[in-house]
Amino acid sequence: MTKLLLSIHVLASILVVGPIAVAASMFPRYARQTAGEDGHSVGATVLLHRICSGYAIVGVAVPVFGIATGAQLGVLTDAWLLTSIVLTTIAAAILALAILPGQESMIESAAAAAADGTGAGTGDGADTKRAAARLAGLTGVFNLLWAVVVVLMIVRPGSTTGA
C-alpha cells in the first residue's frame, strides 16, 4: 500500500505542480504583452490562468497522498515532513491568495481597457508592468518553496536510508 500511495503522490506532484509552476511563470510575460496590442497575449493569459486555477484544485491530491504516505511510513512527526507540510501550505496560500487573484485582476484590467477602447498601453501600461513584476516575484517564491519541498523529500534529514 505504501508504494502505491507514494507513487500516486509523486505522480500527482509532477503532473499537477509542474503545470502550475510553468503556467504561472509564463503568465507575467504574456500579461506584459497584453499591455500592448497583442490580442494573442490576452488569450494566452486567460489560458495560463485557467491552467493555474484548474490544476490548483486537483493539486489538493498532492498533500493528501503525501500525508497518507507519511502515515503509512510512520514519519508524520519527523521534522523534514513537518517542514515540508508547512512549506506546502505557504506555497498553496501564495497561489490561492496572491497569484490567482493577481492573474484575475490583470485579465479583468486588460478586458476593461479593450472594452472601453483605450487600450491597455495608454496610462496603465506601467501599472500592468508593475503588477506583472509582482506576479513574477510571487511565482518565483512559489516555485522556490516547491523546490525546497522536493529537496526535503529526497534528502530527508535524519533518514536512515543514507540518501
Side-chain angles (χ1 to χ4, degrees):
M1 180 58 106
T2 302
K3 289 180 182 180
L4 175 65
L5 291 172
L6 181 59
S7 296
I8 294 170
H9 172 63
V10 171
L11 282 170
S13 299
I14 293 167
L15 298 175
V16 175
V17 177
I20 294 170
V22 172
S25 295
M26 293 173 62
F27 185 93
R29 174 180 174 236
Y30 285 96
R32 276 188 219 101
Q33 290 176 356
T34 301
E37 301 181 13
D38 184 0
H40 295 291
S41 295
V42 174
T45 58
V46 170
L47 174 63
L48 293 169
H49 174 66
R50 283 185 185 161
I51 290 169
C52 291
S53 57
Y55 277 77
I57 294 166
V58 179
V60 172
V62 175
V64 166
F65 283 101
I67 290 170
T69 302
Q72 282 286 332
L73 293 171
V75 295
L76 284 179
T77 58
D78 287 8
W80 64 271
L81 185 62
L82 294 173
T83 302
S84 296
I85 291 169
V86 169
L87 294 176
T88 298
T89 302
I90 294 169
I94 289 171
L95 180 65
L97 302 175
I99 294 173
L100 294 176
Q103 290 177 347
E104 289 171 9
S105 175
M106 292 188 75
I107 291 169
E108 289 169 4
S109 293
D116 69 10
T118 62
T122 60
D124 59 39
D127 291 341
T128 299
K129 289 181 182 180
R130 275 192 295 275
R134 181 175 183 274
L135 269 180
L138 288 167
T139 300
V141 171
F142 173 82
N143 291 339
L144 181 62
L145 288 170
W146 278 111
V148 172
V149 169
V150 167
V151 169
L152 285 171
M153 293 289 139
I154 293 168
V155 174
R156 299 182 306 161
S159 170
T160 58
T161 63

